[in-house]
Amino acid sequence: MREPEGVGNTSRSGAPASLLDRLASLQLVVVTGKGGVGKTLVSATLGRLLASSGRSVLLMEIDPRESLHHLLDVAPSGGEIVPAAPGLFLQNLLPRQVLDELVRERLKVGVLARRVLASPIYQHFAEGAPGLKETGVLGRALRLVEGHGPRALRRPDVVILDAPATGHGVSLLQAPSLVADVVRSGPVGHLARQIAAFVADRQRTGIIIVTSAEEMPVQETVELIRGLDSILELRPEMVIANALYPPFSAAARTAGKSPALELWRHRRRINDTQLARLEREWNGPVARVPLLPIDGGPQLLKAAESQLRSALHGPAAENG
Protein backbone atom coordinates (compact mmCIF):
# COMPACT_ATOMS: atom_id res chain seq x y z
CA MET A 1 0.00 0.00 0.00
CA ARG A 2 1.20 3.47 -0.85
CA GLU A 3 1.76 5.87 1.97
CA PRO A 4 -0.74 8.73 1.58
CA GLU A 5 0.82 12.12 1.02
CA GLY A 6 -0.45 15.29 2.59
CA VAL A 7 -3.13 13.68 4.66
CA GLY A 8 -3.31 16.04 7.61
CA ASN A 9 -2.25 15.52 11.19
CA THR A 10 -1.86 12.37 13.19
CA SER A 11 -1.79 11.77 16.91
CA ARG A 12 1.40 10.95 18.80
CA SER A 13 0.55 7.26 18.48
CA GLY A 14 0.53 7.60 14.69
CA ALA A 15 -3.26 7.20 14.44
CA PRO A 16 -5.27 9.76 12.45
CA ALA A 17 -6.17 12.75 14.62
CA SER A 18 -9.66 13.18 13.14
CA LEU A 19 -12.29 11.29 11.23
CA LEU A 20 -11.44 13.30 8.12
CA ASP A 21 -7.76 12.35 8.44
CA ARG A 22 -8.75 8.73 8.87
CA LEU A 23 -10.91 8.74 5.72
CA ALA A 24 -8.15 10.50 3.78
CA SER A 25 -5.74 7.69 4.69
CA LEU A 26 -7.95 5.01 3.10
CA GLN A 27 -8.10 3.83 -0.51
CA LEU A 28 -11.76 2.79 -0.59
CA VAL A 29 -14.64 4.31 1.35
CA VAL A 30 -17.95 2.47 0.98
CA VAL A 31 -20.98 4.63 1.77
CA THR A 32 -24.18 2.72 2.41
CA GLY A 33 -27.56 3.35 4.01
CA LYS A 34 -31.28 2.86 3.55
CA GLY A 35 -32.71 4.40 0.40
CA GLY A 36 -33.81 7.99 0.80
CA VAL A 37 -31.59 8.96 3.75
CA GLY A 38 -29.14 11.08 1.75
CA LYS A 39 -26.46 8.50 1.00
CA THR A 40 -25.62 10.02 -2.39
CA LEU A 41 -25.41 13.53 -0.90
CA VAL A 42 -23.01 12.27 1.77
CA SER A 43 -20.88 10.48 -0.86
CA ALA A 44 -20.57 13.67 -2.91
CA THR A 45 -19.84 15.73 0.19
CA LEU A 46 -17.09 13.37 1.33
CA GLY A 47 -15.61 13.50 -2.16
CA ARG A 48 -15.48 17.29 -2.07
CA LEU A 49 -13.98 17.34 1.42
CA LEU A 50 -11.25 14.80 0.64
CA ALA A 51 -10.41 16.49 -2.67
CA SER A 52 -10.10 19.83 -0.90
CA SER A 53 -7.64 18.22 1.54
CA GLY A 54 -5.33 17.40 -1.37
CA ARG A 55 -6.42 13.86 -2.25
CA SER A 56 -7.25 12.66 -5.75
CA VAL A 57 -10.77 11.24 -5.38
CA LEU A 58 -13.00 9.17 -7.64
CA LEU A 59 -16.72 9.09 -6.84
CA MET A 60 -18.01 5.75 -8.07
CA GLU A 61 -21.74 5.25 -8.58
CA ILE A 62 -23.58 2.05 -9.59
CA ASP A 63 -27.11 3.44 -9.79
CA PRO A 64 -28.18 3.49 -13.47
CA ARG A 65 -30.27 6.60 -12.75
CA GLU A 66 -27.03 8.62 -12.28
CA SER A 67 -27.78 10.93 -9.36
CA LEU A 68 -24.35 12.25 -8.42
CA HIS A 69 -23.86 14.46 -11.47
CA HIS A 70 -26.86 16.61 -10.47
CA LEU A 71 -25.21 17.49 -7.16
CA LEU A 72 -21.85 18.15 -8.79
CA ASP A 73 -23.35 20.15 -11.68
CA VAL A 74 -21.57 18.15 -14.38
CA ALA A 75 -22.74 16.12 -17.36
CA PRO A 76 -23.77 12.47 -16.76
CA SER A 77 -20.84 10.08 -16.67
CA GLY A 78 -22.28 7.53 -19.07
CA GLY A 79 -19.68 5.05 -17.85
CA GLU A 80 -16.69 7.33 -18.44
CA ILE A 81 -14.48 9.01 -15.83
CA VAL A 82 -15.32 12.71 -15.89
CA PRO A 83 -13.75 15.59 -13.92
CA ALA A 84 -16.14 17.21 -11.45
CA ALA A 85 -13.86 19.62 -9.54
CA PRO A 86 -10.12 20.01 -8.83
CA GLY A 87 -8.96 16.60 -7.63
CA LEU A 88 -12.47 15.13 -7.91
CA PHE A 89 -13.73 12.72 -10.59
CA LEU A 90 -16.99 10.88 -11.20
CA GLN A 91 -17.82 7.55 -12.82
CA ASN A 92 -21.10 5.69 -13.13
CA LEU A 93 -20.62 1.95 -13.47
CA LEU A 94 -22.73 -0.81 -14.98
CA PRO A 95 -21.68 -3.91 -13.01
CA ARG A 96 -21.96 -6.33 -15.95
CA GLN A 97 -19.78 -4.11 -18.14
CA VAL A 98 -17.22 -3.88 -15.34
CA LEU A 99 -17.15 -7.67 -15.07
CA ASP A 100 -16.61 -8.02 -18.83
CA GLU A 101 -13.75 -5.51 -18.68
CA LEU A 102 -12.07 -7.51 -15.91
CA VAL A 103 -12.30 -10.65 -18.07
CA ARG A 104 -10.68 -8.82 -21.00
CA GLU A 105 -7.92 -7.54 -18.74
CA ARG A 106 -7.21 -10.93 -17.21
CA LEU A 107 -7.25 -12.95 -20.44
CA LYS A 108 -5.19 -10.33 -22.32
CA VAL A 109 -5.48 -12.14 -25.69
CA GLY A 110 -8.27 -10.40 -27.58
CA VAL A 111 -9.50 -13.43 -29.55
CA LEU A 112 -9.69 -15.57 -26.41
CA ALA A 113 -11.45 -12.84 -24.45
CA ARG A 114 -14.07 -12.38 -27.19
CA ARG A 115 -14.75 -16.11 -27.27
CA VAL A 116 -15.21 -16.28 -23.51
CA LEU A 117 -17.47 -13.23 -23.39
CA ALA A 118 -19.63 -14.58 -26.23
CA SER A 119 -19.96 -18.08 -24.80
CA PRO A 120 -23.35 -19.15 -23.33
CA ILE A 121 -21.56 -20.59 -20.31
CA TYR A 122 -20.02 -17.24 -19.43
CA GLN A 123 -23.27 -15.39 -20.14
CA HIS A 124 -25.15 -17.66 -17.76
CA PHE A 125 -22.40 -17.52 -15.16
CA ALA A 126 -22.09 -13.71 -15.29
CA GLU A 127 -25.82 -13.16 -14.90
CA GLY A 128 -26.56 -15.83 -12.33
CA ALA A 129 -23.53 -16.38 -10.12
CA PRO A 130 -24.15 -14.84 -6.67
CA GLY A 131 -21.81 -11.98 -5.86
CA LEU A 132 -19.96 -11.94 -9.17
CA LYS A 133 -21.08 -8.48 -10.33
CA GLU A 134 -20.49 -7.01 -6.88
CA THR A 135 -17.02 -8.51 -6.88
CA GLY A 136 -16.42 -6.87 -10.25
CA VAL A 137 -17.35 -3.44 -8.88
CA LEU A 138 -15.04 -3.78 -5.88
CA GLY A 139 -12.36 -5.16 -8.18
CA ARG A 140 -12.66 -2.07 -10.34
CA ALA A 141 -11.91 0.08 -7.27
CA LEU A 142 -8.90 -2.09 -6.41
CA ARG A 143 -7.48 -1.95 -9.92
CA LEU A 144 -7.80 1.84 -10.00
CA VAL A 145 -6.00 2.50 -6.71
CA GLU A 146 -3.27 0.09 -7.84
CA GLY A 147 -2.68 2.27 -10.90
CA HIS A 148 -4.47 0.30 -13.62
CA GLY A 149 -6.96 2.98 -14.58
CA PRO A 150 -7.51 4.79 -17.88
CA ARG A 151 -5.62 7.93 -18.85
CA ALA A 152 -8.36 10.17 -17.45
CA LEU A 153 -7.48 9.02 -13.91
CA ARG A 154 -4.60 6.60 -13.76
CA ARG A 155 -4.43 6.20 -10.00
CA PRO A 156 -6.83 7.92 -7.57
CA ASP A 157 -5.80 8.16 -3.94
CA VAL A 158 -9.31 7.37 -2.71
CA VAL A 159 -12.35 5.75 -4.32
CA ILE A 160 -15.69 6.61 -2.69
CA LEU A 161 -18.33 4.05 -3.60
CA ASP A 162 -21.94 5.23 -3.40
CA ALA A 163 -23.09 1.70 -2.60
CA PRO A 164 -26.51 0.04 -2.80
CA ALA A 165 -29.00 0.46 0.03
CA THR A 166 -28.37 -0.96 3.50
CA GLY A 167 -30.11 -4.30 2.87
CA HIS A 168 -27.40 -5.15 0.34
CA GLY A 169 -24.46 -3.71 2.27
CA VAL A 170 -23.22 -6.95 3.81
CA SER A 171 -23.87 -8.84 0.55
CA LEU A 172 -21.74 -6.36 -1.39
CA LEU A 173 -18.79 -6.57 0.98
CA GLN A 174 -19.10 -10.34 1.44
CA ALA A 175 -19.30 -11.04 -2.31
CA PRO A 176 -15.55 -11.41 -3.04
CA SER A 177 -15.13 -13.97 -0.25
CA LEU A 178 -18.11 -15.98 -1.53
CA VAL A 179 -16.79 -15.97 -5.07
CA ALA A 180 -13.31 -16.96 -3.85
CA ASP A 181 -14.83 -19.89 -1.94
CA VAL A 182 -16.65 -21.15 -5.04
CA VAL A 183 -14.03 -20.38 -7.70
CA ARG A 184 -10.85 -21.68 -6.13
CA SER A 185 -8.55 -21.56 -9.15
CA GLY A 186 -7.91 -19.57 -12.30
CA PRO A 187 -7.85 -15.81 -12.82
CA VAL A 188 -11.35 -15.22 -11.39
CA GLY A 189 -10.58 -17.05 -8.15
CA HIS A 190 -7.22 -15.31 -7.78
CA LEU A 191 -8.77 -11.88 -8.35
CA ALA A 192 -11.64 -12.61 -5.91
CA ARG A 193 -9.12 -13.47 -3.18
CA GLN A 194 -7.24 -10.23 -3.82
CA ILE A 195 -10.45 -8.20 -3.62
CA ALA A 196 -11.59 -9.97 -0.44
CA ALA A 197 -8.27 -9.13 1.22
CA PHE A 198 -8.58 -5.51 0.06
CA VAL A 199 -12.08 -5.16 1.55
CA ALA A 200 -11.03 -6.78 4.83
CA ASP A 201 -7.94 -4.56 5.25
CA ARG A 202 -8.92 -1.79 7.68
CA GLN A 203 -5.94 0.28 6.62
CA ARG A 204 -7.26 0.38 3.05
CA THR A 205 -11.06 0.12 3.20
CA GLY A 206 -13.60 1.90 5.41
CA ILE A 207 -17.38 1.83 5.69
CA ILE A 208 -19.71 4.74 6.42
CA ILE A 209 -23.38 4.19 7.19
CA VAL A 210 -25.85 6.98 6.51
CA THR A 211 -29.20 6.99 8.28
CA SER A 212 -32.01 9.29 9.25
CA ALA A 213 -33.18 9.38 12.87
CA GLU A 214 -36.36 7.45 12.08
CA GLU A 215 -37.43 4.01 13.23
CA MET A 216 -36.85 1.91 10.09
CA PRO A 217 -33.56 3.50 8.96
CA VAL A 218 -32.11 3.16 12.47
CA GLN A 219 -33.28 -0.45 12.66
CA GLU A 220 -31.56 -1.23 9.36
CA THR A 221 -28.43 0.58 10.54
CA VAL A 222 -28.28 -1.46 13.73
CA GLU A 223 -28.78 -4.69 11.77
CA LEU A 224 -26.05 -3.71 9.31
CA ILE A 225 -23.58 -2.94 12.10
CA ARG A 226 -24.31 -6.33 13.66
CA GLY A 227 -24.02 -8.10 10.32
CA LEU A 228 -20.71 -6.46 9.48
CA ASP A 229 -19.35 -7.58 12.86
CA SER A 230 -20.70 -11.13 12.93
CA ILE A 231 -20.23 -12.05 9.26
CA LEU A 232 -17.23 -10.01 8.14
CA GLU A 233 -15.62 -8.86 11.42
CA LEU A 234 -15.73 -5.30 10.11
CA ARG A 235 -16.58 -2.13 11.97
CA PRO A 236 -17.87 1.07 10.34
CA GLU A 237 -15.81 4.21 10.57
CA MET A 238 -18.86 6.18 11.62
CA VAL A 239 -22.62 6.58 11.31
CA ILE A 240 -23.97 9.81 9.85
CA ALA A 241 -27.43 10.76 11.11
CA ASN A 242 -28.72 12.97 8.33
CA ALA A 243 -31.61 15.42 7.93
CA LEU A 244 -32.26 16.01 11.63
CA TYR A 245 -35.00 18.45 12.57
CA PRO A 246 -33.63 21.36 14.61
CA PRO A 247 -34.13 21.14 18.39
CA PHE A 248 -37.48 22.53 19.54
CA SER A 249 -36.47 25.93 20.84
CA ALA A 250 -37.58 27.79 23.97
CA ALA A 251 -39.08 30.49 21.76
CA ALA A 252 -41.16 27.91 19.92
CA ARG A 253 -42.52 26.56 23.21
CA THR A 254 -43.99 29.95 24.08
CA ALA A 255 -45.25 30.78 20.60
CA GLY A 256 -48.59 29.08 21.05
CA LYS A 257 -49.92 26.11 19.10
CA SER A 258 -49.98 25.71 15.36
CA PRO A 259 -49.90 22.69 13.02
CA ALA A 260 -46.37 23.60 11.88
CA LEU A 261 -45.04 23.85 15.45
CA GLU A 262 -46.73 20.60 16.46
CA LEU A 263 -45.20 18.85 13.46
CA TRP A 264 -41.81 20.28 14.35
CA ARG A 265 -42.16 19.10 17.97
CA HIS A 266 -43.33 15.64 16.86
CA ARG A 267 -40.57 15.07 14.32
CA ARG A 268 -37.85 16.27 16.67
CA ARG A 269 -39.15 13.97 19.40
CA ILE A 270 -38.86 11.03 17.02
CA ASN A 271 -35.33 12.12 16.10
CA ASP A 272 -34.29 12.30 19.76
CA THR A 273 -35.77 8.88 20.53
CA GLN A 274 -34.07 7.20 17.59
CA LEU A 275 -30.72 8.91 18.18
CA ALA A 276 -30.77 7.63 21.74
CA ARG A 277 -31.55 4.15 20.47
CA LEU A 278 -28.74 4.31 17.90
CA GLU A 279 -26.21 5.41 20.50
CA ARG A 280 -27.26 2.57 22.83
CA GLU A 281 -26.52 0.07 20.06
CA TRP A 282 -23.41 1.69 18.54
CA ASN A 283 -20.47 2.97 20.56
CA GLY A 284 -18.65 4.59 17.64
CA PRO A 285 -18.80 8.11 16.20
CA VAL A 286 -22.19 9.51 15.17
CA ALA A 287 -22.13 12.66 13.06
CA ARG A 288 -25.33 14.71 13.25
CA VAL A 289 -26.26 16.65 10.13
CA PRO A 290 -29.33 18.94 10.21
CA LEU A 291 -32.16 18.98 7.71
CA LEU A 292 -31.18 21.46 5.02
CA PRO A 293 -34.14 23.30 3.43
CA ILE A 294 -32.44 23.52 0.03
CA ASP A 295 -33.42 21.90 -3.26
CA GLY A 296 -31.04 19.25 -4.58
CA GLY A 297 -28.06 20.53 -6.55
CA PRO A 298 -24.78 22.37 -6.02
CA GLN A 299 -26.20 24.69 -3.33
CA LEU A 300 -27.33 21.71 -1.26
CA LEU A 301 -23.91 20.10 -1.68
CA LYS A 302 -22.16 23.29 -0.55
CA ALA A 303 -24.33 23.53 2.57
CA ALA A 304 -23.86 19.84 3.39
CA GLU A 305 -20.09 20.21 2.98
CA SER A 306 -20.04 22.97 5.60
CA GLN A 307 -22.09 20.88 8.04
CA LEU A 308 -20.18 17.64 7.58
CA ARG A 309 -16.76 19.26 7.68
CA SER A 310 -17.19 20.24 11.33
CA ALA A 311 -18.55 16.79 12.23
CA LEU A 312 -15.56 15.06 10.61
CA HIS A 313 -13.05 17.03 12.63
CA GLY A 314 -13.98 14.96 15.67
CA PRO A 315 -11.53 12.27 16.83
CA ALA A 316 -11.24 9.08 14.82
CA ALA A 317 -12.46 5.86 16.39
CA GLU A 318 -10.19 2.93 17.20
CA ASN A 319 -10.62 0.61 14.23
CA GLY A 320 -7.62 -1.61 14.22
Side-chain angles (χ1 to χ4, degrees), residues 1-4 22-30 55 138-139 141-148 155-160 193-207 234 237 319-320:
M1 174 182 170
R2 288 176 298 152
E3 289 297 328
R22 163 67 182 165
L23 297 178
S25 74
L26 299 172
Q27 292 181 310
L28 173 64
V29 177
V30 179
R55 311 303 281 151
L138 294 169
L142 173 60
R143 299 299 286 163
L144 285 168
V145 299
E146 287 183 337
H148 302 287
R155 189 173 187 172
D157 296 313
V158 188
V159 173
I160 297 177
R193 287 190 293 276
Q194 284 185 314
I195 300 166
F198 175 52
V199 170
D201 188 340
R202 293 173 179 173
Q203 300 308 309
R204 303 181 75 187
T205 298
I207 304 160
L234 293 176
E237 303 298 322
N319 204 4

Side-chain angles (χ1 to χ4, degrees), residues 12 29 43 60 62 88 91 117 142 149 156 161 169 175 180 188 195 200 222 239 243 255 257 270 283 296 306:
R12 291 181 180 178
V29 177
S43 298
M60 187 179 286
I62 54 178
L88 182 63
Q91 184 177 33
L117 293 173
L142 173 60
L161 176 60
V188 173
I195 300 166
V222 170
V239 174
K257 288 190 175 183
I270 291 174
N283 63 356
S306 174

Side-chain angles (χ1 to χ4, degrees), residues 45-57 85-89 160:
T45 304
L46 289 173
R48 288 270 295 261
L49 289 169
L50 292 179
S52 68
S53 74
R55 311 303 281 151
S56 174
V57 182
L88 182 63
F89 300 82
I160 297 177

Side-chain angles (χ1 to χ4, degrees), residues 1-319:
M1 174 182 170
R2 288 176 298 152
E3 289 297 328
E5 299 173 0
V7 173
N9 297 325
T10 58
S11 67
R12 291 181 180 178
S13 66
S18 72
L19 286 163
L20 187 59
D21 292 330
R22 163 67 182 165
L23 297 178
S25 74
L26 299 172
Q27 292 181 310
L28 173 64
V29 177
V30 179
V31 181
T32 186
K34 183 176 173 61
V37 300
K39 176 173 59 67
T40 296
L41 175 62
V42 167
S43 298
T45 304
L46 289 173
R48 288 270 295 261
L49 289 169
L50 292 179
S52 68
S53 74
R55 311 303 281 151
S56 174
V57 182
L58 174 65
L59 280 169
M60 187 179 286
E61 177 182 46
I62 54 178
D63 185 342
R65 295 172 297 180
E66 294 211 42
S67 302
L68 275 167
H69 76 95
H70 293 294
L71 289 165
L72 296 165
D73 197 24
V74 296
S77 157
E80 300 298 321
I81 293 176
V82 297
L88 182 63
F89 300 82
L90 168 65
Q91 184 177 33
N92 182 277
L93 295 181
L94 296 176
R96 173 58 191 274
Q97 289 183 4
V98 172
L99 188 60
D100 291 351
E101 287 174 8
L102 285 173
V103 170
R104 292 188 188 95
E105 180 185 307
R106 286 286 161 163
L107 294 180
K108 300 183 186 303
V109 180
V111 173
L112 179 59
R114 286 192 292 273
R115 286 179 180 173
V116 169
L117 293 173
S119 71
I121 293 175
Y122 172 76
Q123 298 285 338
H124 179 74
F125 182 61
E127 290 299 328
L132 196 59
K133 291 179 183 177
E134 293 86 348
T135 299
V137 169
L138 294 169
R140 172 69 170 169
L142 173 60
R143 299 299 286 163
L144 285 168
V145 299
E146 287 183 337
H148 302 287
R151 288 184 180 180
L153 182 62
R154 182 66 65 186
R155 189 173 187 172
D157 296 313
V158 188
V159 173
I160 297 177
L161 176 60
D162 184 8
T166 308
H168 305 286
V170 172
S171 299
L172 170 74
L173 295 165
Q174 189 182 19
S177 296
L178 293 177
V179 172
D181 286 343
V182 174
V183 186
R184 295 183 177 274
S185 61
V188 173
H190 177 67
L191 180 60
R193 287 190 293 276
Q194 284 185 314
I195 300 166
F198 175 52
V199 170
D201 188 340
R202 293 173 179 173
Q203 300 308 309
R204 303 181 75 187
T205 298
I207 304 160
I208 288 179
I209 304 175
V210 185
T211 187
S212 59
E214 308 283 338
E215 182 176 3
M216 286 306 298
V218 168
Q219 179 62 34
E220 287 198 17
T221 297
V222 170
E223 290 174 0
L224 176 57
I225 291 169
R226 292 172 178 169
L228 289 171
D229 180 42
S230 63
I231 298 172
L232 299 173
E233 297 184 350
L234 293 176
R235 175 181 169 86
E237 303 298 322
M238 66 186 305
V239 174
I240 297 176
N242 188 39
L244 298 176
Y245 278 73
F248 199 72
S249 66
R253 292 188 181 94
T254 60
K257 288 190 175 183
S258 74
L261 287 175
E262 287 305 306
L263 175 62
W264 177 8
R265 184 197 301 269
H266 174 66
R267 300 311 305 177
R268 182 63 203 196
R269 186 181 297 124
I270 291 174
N271 285 174
D272 288 338
T273 299
Q274 295 303 322
L275 284 170
R277 177 188 175 206
L278 175 62
E279 291 179 348
R280 286 196 300 271
E281 298 284 349
W282 162 246
N283 63 356
V286 177
R288 302 186 181 204
V289 178
L291 178 66
L292 299 169
I294 304 171
D295 289 336
Q299 290 303 313
L300 176 61
L301 180 57
K302 183 178 180 180
E305 184 179 354
S306 174
Q307 294 290 339
L308 196 53
R309 183 187 297 274
S310 59
L312 288 174
H313 276 89
E318 292 295 327
N319 204 4

